């Protein structure tokens, strides 16, 4: 006995199974229970649900056939009657006399029988049919009143359960794909973070202020022959050719003036060059500007000065600064007559007043004539000016 039949017969035991109305309520209750089972399992396909309902209908029809009265076997009754007529008469039995029609009398046709209304067969001759209760195709929402409750939870056969189609709910399909989506999302985040980190490094987010300062450092004043870097501690001895702060050299040397702005008559300027005496809060100075040809301004060095320097090691000091906002590079050339020259010197001059030194080893002989120091205010020929405060010389001990 399968689960559907067992559930219906158990319900019959709770009432009068011979009552047709009671059986119909049980059948409807069975369909209602089946409907609840199907609703509780949304994974069952429409085809499987229809098959489950047809199985219940067939089982109900099979059970209901047991409660119909049996139909008599007409063929068997006819055979029994024939056998009775053909059987021999028992001794002493009286035969019915045969009635013969009168001789010479014609037998006419039977009189017509008029039927006022349809002839109904005898109750015993009425054909019998198997009448089943009406089984609804659409299950009710609740159990009919008066019908025993039927539990169909365990009524599904194994083959019906096997016909459950895969879950086609798109939301559940998306749920199954969640791991792949999460991996893609994670990879995207990692790529975005890597790109952001790369651009942060390229733009210098993690660099220190010192690393971000990519401007070229200000070059200290230099010379062609000897390059010196000014020491941080001005108390340390400096080498000749290195610029010094004003007044530093005056503390240790006895200076001989070669040029001062108070006597500009010892300055010679070419036709395309300029030299003007200017005074501001820093003092008086001669602002010189070389011409486009790169011609230099010449400062006289008296013969008497050169006579003091003959045979000595001398240090020359040019106190100068660049014009406001225009750093420049100057070049220095010397002509000391019979005592030779100083070679070409070149200095980077900033906007602060500074001292630019160079030394010369003079031969021990008379100079024969006066000499000169020529200064080009702009080695790059861009017309920049330089302010000369003074030019002086001292003898090394």
């Amino acid at each position: 006995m399968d689960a559907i039949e067992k559930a219906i017969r158990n319900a019959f035991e709770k009432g009068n199974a011979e009552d047709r109305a009671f059986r119909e309520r049980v059948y409807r209750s069975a369909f209602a229970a089946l409907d609840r089972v199907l609703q509780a399992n949304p994974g069952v396909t429409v085809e499987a649900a229809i098959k489950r309902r047809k199985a219940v209908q067939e089982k109900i029809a099979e059970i209901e056939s047991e409660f119909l009265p049996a139909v008599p076997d007409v063929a068997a009754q006819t055979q029994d009657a024939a056998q009775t007529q053909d059987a021999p008469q028992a001794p002493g039995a009286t035969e019915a006399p045969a009635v013969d029609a009168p001789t010479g009398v014609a037998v006419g046709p039977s009189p017509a029988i008029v039927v006022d209304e349809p002839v109904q067969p005898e109750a015993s001759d009425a054909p019998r049919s198997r009448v089943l209760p009406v089984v609804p195709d659409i299950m009710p929402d609740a159990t009919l009143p008066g019908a025993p409750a039927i539990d169909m939870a365990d009524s599904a056969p194994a083959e019906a359960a096997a016909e459950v189609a895969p879950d086609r709910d798109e939301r559940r399909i998306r749920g199954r794909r969640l791991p792949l989506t999460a991996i893609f999302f994670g990879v995207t985040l990692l790529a975005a973070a890597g790109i952001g980190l790369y651009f942060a490094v390229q733009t210098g987010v993690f660099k220190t202020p010192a690393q971000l300062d990519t401007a070229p450092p200000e070059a200290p004043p230099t010379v062609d022959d000897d390059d010196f870097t000014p020491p941080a501690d001005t108390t340390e001895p400096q080498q000749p050719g290195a610029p010094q702060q004003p007044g530093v050299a005056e503390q240790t040397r006895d200076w001989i003036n070669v040029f001062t702005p108070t006597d500009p008559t010892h300055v010679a300027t070419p036709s395309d060059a300029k030299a003007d005496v200017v005074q501001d809060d820093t003092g008086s100075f001669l602002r010189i500007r070389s011409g486009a040809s790169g011609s230099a301004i010449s400062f006289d060095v008296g013969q008497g000065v050169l006579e003091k320097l003959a045979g000595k090691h001398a240090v020359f000091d040019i106190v100068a600064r660049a014009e406001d906002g225009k750093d420049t590079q100057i070049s220095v050339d010397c002509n000391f007559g019979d005592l030779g020259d100083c070679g070409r010197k070149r200095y980077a001059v900033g906007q602060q007043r500074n001292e630019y030194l160079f030394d010369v080893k003079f031969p021990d002989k008379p100079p024969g004539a006066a000499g000169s120091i020529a200064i080009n205010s702009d080695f790059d020929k861009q017309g920049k000016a330089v302010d000369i405060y003074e030019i002086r010389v001292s003898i090394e001990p």
Side-chain angles (χ1 to χ4, degrees):
M1 183 183 301
D2 62 13
I4 298 175
E5 180 180 0
K6 182 178 180 181
I8 294 176
R9 293 190 183 280
N10 288 340
F12 282 170
E13 295 178 359
K14 300 178 181 179
N16 183 11
E18 300 297 330
D19 184 3
R20 177 178 174 177
F22 172 74
R23 294 198 304 276
E24 288 190 6
R25 289 197 297 272
V26 171
Y27 299 149
R28 292 178 181 272
S29 179
F31 274 111
L34 175 62
D35 187 51
R36 290 194 298 273
V37 171
L38 295 177
Q39 292 179 356
N41 186 6
V44 178
T45 62
V46 176
E47 293 80 2
I50 293 175
K51 186 174 181 180
R52 294 278 295 279
R53 292 190 184 100
K54 289 181 66 176
V56 174
Q57 287 179 339
E58 292 174 359
K59 183 57 63 178
I60 289 175
E62 180 182 343
I63 295 174
E64 184 62 18
S65 65
E66 300 176 4
F67 294 94
L68 295 179
V71 179
D73 193 345
V74 178
Q77 292 179 358
T78 304
Q79 184 177 3
D80 291 342
Q83 291 176 356
T84 302
Q85 292 179 0
D86 296 338
Q89 296 273 337
T94 304
E95 284 186 332
V99 179
D100 299 329
T103 304
V105 178
V107 180
S110 300
I113 299 175
V114 178
V115 181
D116 294 333
E117 59 185 17
V119 178
Q120 300 293 336
E122 294 295 333
S124 61
D125 296 335
R128 297 179 181 178
S129 61
R130 298 169 62 186
V131 179
L132 299 179
V134 178
V135 180
D137 291 333
I138 301 176
M139 274 61 66
D141 294 335
T143 305
L144 296 177
I150 296 179
D151 185 8
M152 299 287 288
D154 299 330
S155 63
E159 61 271 17
E163 294 178 0
V164 177
D167 191 355
R168 300 184 181 274
D169 192 338
E170 293 298 329
R171 292 172 299 179
R172 298 188 181 183
I173 293 176
R174 287 194 297 268
R176 290 194 295 270
R177 295 177 182 175
L178 181 60
L180 181 59
T181 303
I183 292 173
F184 175 77
F185 184 70
V187 171
T188 303
L189 286 181
L190 289 177
I195 294 173
L197 181 61
Y198 173 77
F199 278 104
V201 172
Q202 292 297 318
T203 54
V205 173
F206 303 108
K207 292 183 179 180
T208 63
Q211 292 174 327
L212 291 175
D213 186 9
T214 57
E218 183 177 354
T222 58
V223 297
D224 285 343
D225 296 343
D226 299 297
D227 294 338
F228 301 100
T229 301
D233 186 1
T234 57
T235 61
E236 295 180 1
Q238 298 194 9
Q239 300 179 11
Q244 298 182 356
Q245 294 297 328
V248 174
E250 296 178 355
Q251 300 176 3
T252 59
R253 296 180 181 275
D254 294 328
W255 293 102
I256 302 171
N257 288 330
V258 175
F259 163 78
T260 62
T262 58
D263 187 11
T265 58
H266 297 284
V267 178
T269 58
S271 59
D272 60 346
K274 294 182 180 180
D276 300 310
V277 177
V278 182
Q279 186 171 3
D280 61 11
D281 55 355
T282 62
S284 297
F285 52 84
L286 182 68
R287 176 164 291 174
I288 62 173
R289 191 185 307 272
S290 298
S293 63
S295 56
I297 293 86
S298 179
F299 297 84
D300 292 340
V301 180
Q303 183 177 355
V305 174
L306 293 178
E307 290 176 351
K308 295 179 181 179
L309 302 178
K312 305 293 192 303
H313 183 192
V315 175
F316 287 85
D317 181 13
I318 301 174
V319 181
R321 72 174 182 183
E323 187 180 7
D324 293 343
K326 299 179 181 179
D327 293 355
T328 185
Q329 292 189 38
I330 66 173
S331 64
V332 179
D333 293 288
C334 306
N335 181 9
F336 299 131
D338 293 340
L339 297 181
D341 57 32
C342 62
R344 172 166 288 192
K345 313 294 182 184
R346 196 166 100 185
Y347 303 92
V349 180
Q351 300 175 40
Q352 299 296 325
R353 178 174 172 174
N354 215 335
E355 298 182 6
Y356 301 90
L357 308 175
F358 62 92
D359 62 334
V360 179
K361 181 69 173 177
F362 288 102
D364 189 7
K365 63 180 181 178
S372 64
I373 297 176
I375 300 177
N376 184 344
S377 66
D378 186 2
F379 185 81
D380 295 328
K381 298 181 182 181
Q382 296 181 5
K384 296 179 182 179
V386 65
D387 300 335
I388 306 298
Y389 286 88
E390 60 179 316
I391 300 175
R392 55 191 178 177
V393 62
S394 67
I395 299 173
E396 288 289 309

